[in-house]
Amino acid sequence: MELRQLECFVAVAEECHFTRAAGRLHVAQSGLSATIRALERELGAPLFVRSTRQVRLTPAGRALLAEARRALAAAGAARDAVAAAQGLLRGSLSVGTLQCQPAVDLPGALARFVERHPGMEIHLRQGGSDELTEQVRTGELDLALVQRPAGPGDGLTVRPLAAEPLVLACAPGRPLAGREAVAPHELTAERFVDFPAGWGTRDLADRVLGAAGAGRRVPLEVTDVHALLDLVGLGLGVALVPRHFSRKTDRARFLPLTGRVPQWEVVAVTGRPASPGAAALLREFADAPRAAQTVPAAR
């Protein structure tokens, strides 16, 4: 089994189409098909269900996909390690991040990284904490900035970056807005706006309210910070959010929570060991001032 075969397999699996995968790899479709057939013969199992409209993974193909990605990531890390030992960084660096996190100035860090390592190609994607952490685990990402995972498991390293309290966001005209602070157990009757399950802020809010015995309704789910704050500001619901969200709008009131409430933590998750590119980007984070240190108090 050759790395080139695994690269072709992963491309077809991700594109679900032989023609698109061939274009992505800059090879002839006939050659790509021959490579996949050779891999299937070697493994003794079909990897794809082929039809005129689409290509789907078989159970054997699904089992191979995660291992193929890991093997390709390991090979890339080996090449990068040799280059790093020669004083060079080249190849690619794949980074995942939450949509809104104050722990580091990621654009600034990436700009400095590219200036210092022009031979590296940067790939960036946004997503939820669970999704991004799993992509680091499978080798799709080198590094992710996420809400601290409850249990990252083997093969991952978690480095703390910043922490801040959760606050309650509500519309200025709501009765709660006149309070100085609010206890989590007082929120049982409230309607919530929140992110989908699997996003770090949502999962932390679920834990905080569950521990306080406050069941809650979340009829409004969004994937955008500004949409969440707009809905809250118009009185359509309340939200538990990290305190730095208070910098983003003057249309909502932000109240501290009373009691011992877990903090919202941002961490950097990498493989173990981190790839040379990920290690270099972590150094950029360490050398820059943390934006979270200047987050104002909730208002």
Side-chain angles (χ1 to χ4, degrees):
M1 188 184 307
E2 299 177 357
L3 289 175
R4 183 60 176 171
Q5 290 177 308
L6 295 180
E7 185 179 12
C8 290
F9 164 73
V10 170
V12 176
E14 291 179 347
E15 298 292 341
C16 297
H17 199 279
F18 274 84
T19 301
R20 289 196 297 268
R24 167 173 153 180
L25 297 172
H26 305 291
V27 300
Q29 182 177 336
S30 59
L32 177 62
S33 298
T35 298
I36 296 299
R37 286 196 297 270
L39 181 59
E40 289 175 324
R41 284 196 300 271
E42 181 177 347
L43 294 174
L47 300 174
F48 297 102
V49 177
R50 300 160 172 85
S51 70
T52 56
R53 294 189 175 183
Q54 64 176 351
V55 176
R56 303 192 318 274
L57 286 168
T58 64
R62 288 194 294 272
L64 177 62
L65 182 58
E67 299 302 327
R69 284 171 169 159
R70 273 193 281 268
L72 292 172
R79 287 191 293 267
D80 293 347
V82 172
Q86 297 173 318
L88 303 171
L89 277 181
R90 60 190 180 200
S92 64
L93 175 67
S94 296
V95 180
T97 182
L98 299 174
Q99 184 187 102
C100 182
Q101 56 79 22
V104 295
D105 175 13
L106 180 58
L110 290 176
R112 293 190 299 274
F113 180 91
V114 169
E115 183 177 2
R116 293 176 184 176
H117 309 290
M120 292 289 288
E121 181 180 2
I122 299 294
H123 300 274
L124 179 67
R125 67 182 66 166
Q126 292 182 334
S129 291
D130 288 355
E131 171 192 12
L132 296 175
T133 300
E134 182 60 24
Q135 288 171 357
V136 175
R137 190 190 313 280
T138 60
E140 296 173 76
L141 293 175
D142 295 293
L143 180 149
L145 303 180
V146 298
Q147 161 78 21
R148 176 181 288 277
D154 296 335
L156 296 180
T157 298
V158 175
R159 295 171 174 83
L161 294 177
E164 62 178 284
L166 284 181
V167 296
L168 177 74
C170 66
R174 298 288 295 271
L176 287 172
R179 302 272 297 274
E180 291 298 320
V182 64
H185 73 266
E186 298 179 275
L187 302 174
T188 299
E190 297 294 331
R191 177 173 55 191
F192 278 83
V193 186
D194 214 328
F195 301 111
W199 287 49
T201 308
R202 167 69 178 268
D203 293 347
L204 179 58
D206 286 343
R207 292 200 301 273
V208 167
L209 293 167
R216 68 166 178 157
R217 296 177 295 133
V218 188
L220 302 175
E221 287 191 354
V222 297
T223 59
D224 177 80
V225 171
H226 296 286
L228 180 146
L229 293 175
D230 285 345
L231 292 170
V232 168
L234 291 170
L236 294 172
V238 302
L240 292 185
V241 297
R243 189 173 65 188
H244 73 273
F245 280 28
S246 63
R247 293 185 298 182
K248 297 182 177 297
T249 184
D250 57 4
R251 298 177 62 185
R253 169 102 163 111
F254 297 85
L255 306 174
L257 299 177
T258 62
R260 297 175 61 87
V261 177
Q263 290 203 321
W264 184 80
E265 295 181 84
V266 174
V267 299
V269 177
T270 66
R272 186 183 301 165
S275 69
L281 185 58
L282 285 170
R283 289 193 291 273
E284 297 293 347
F285 296 159
D287 292 342
R290 292 180 182 174
Q293 293 177 341
T294 61
V295 174
R299 64 184 188 278

